[in-house]
């Protein structure tokens, strides 16, 4: 049986639900900013806007916009793969989920 020092185990977020939440928020924020930048454009009047204006404009513009079913499906698939790969990269894939959960508070 291979032993590893607890101090050497990297701490990654391995909860797929938390990863789905992070990825969903990123995608929504990215789309808001992209839509705002596309609508502002790059003409002579666009120089009047700064970064905070773009974020405010994007938030106002895309209120009520939700992720589609397909977005959620792809994000969930990617989150599950990412969680699995993070457990493998941490070197604790041989542990059961309950054992890892018990060990996790000491990793932070």
């Amino acid at each position: 049986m291979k032993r590893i020092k607890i101090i050497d185990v990297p701490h990654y977020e391995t909860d797929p639900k938390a990863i789905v939440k992070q990825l969903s928020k990123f995608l929504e924020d990215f789309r808001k900013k992209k839509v705002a930048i596309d609508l502002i454009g790059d003409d002579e009047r666009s120089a009047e806007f700064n970064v905070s204006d773009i974020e405010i404009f994007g938030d106002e513009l895309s209120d009520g916009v939700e992720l589609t079913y397909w977005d959620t499906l792809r994000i969930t698939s990617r989150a599950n793969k990412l969680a699995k790969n993070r457990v493998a990269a941490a070197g604790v894939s041989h542990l059961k989920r309950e054992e890892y959960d018990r060990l996790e508070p000491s990793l932070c």
Side-chain angles (χ1 to χ4, degrees), residues 37-96:
I37 290 172
D38 288 346
L39 287 178
I40 289 173
D42 60 350
D43 58 356
E44 64 276 352
R45 294 191 50 101
S46 63
E48 300 171 4
F49 291 98
N50 59 23
V51 175
S52 63
D53 293 337
I54 291 173
E55 291 175 2
I56 293 170
F57 184 61
D59 287 340
E60 292 175 357
L61 191 67
S62 56
D63 281 343
V65 175
E66 297 179 3
L67 298 178
T68 66
Y69 170 77
W70 298 110
D71 291 334
T72 308
L73 190 66
R74 284 193 312 236
I75 288 173
T76 304
S77 172
R78 288 179 183 173
N80 289 332
K81 289 177 189 175
L82 186 59
K84 183 179 175 184
N85 290 338
R86 284 181 173 177
V87 169
V92 293
S93 59
H94 63 283
L95 298 175
K96 294 179 183 174

Side-chain angles (χ1 to χ4, degrees), residues 1-4 94-95 99:
M1 179 171 160
K2 183 178 178 182
R3 293 182 182 213
I4 58 173
H94 63 283
L95 298 175
E99 295 170 340

Side-chain angles (χ1 to χ4, degrees), residues 7 14 19 22-24 27 31 34 39 56 61 66 72 81 88 97 101-102 106:
I7 196 77
T14 57
I19 296 172
Q22 291 171 350
L23 293 176
S24 298
L27 182 60
R31 285 184 177 169
K34 182 170 179 359
L39 287 178
I56 293 170
L61 191 67
E66 297 179 3
T72 308
K81 289 177 189 175
R97 183 66 193 179
D101 289 340
R102 255 186 300 155
S106 64

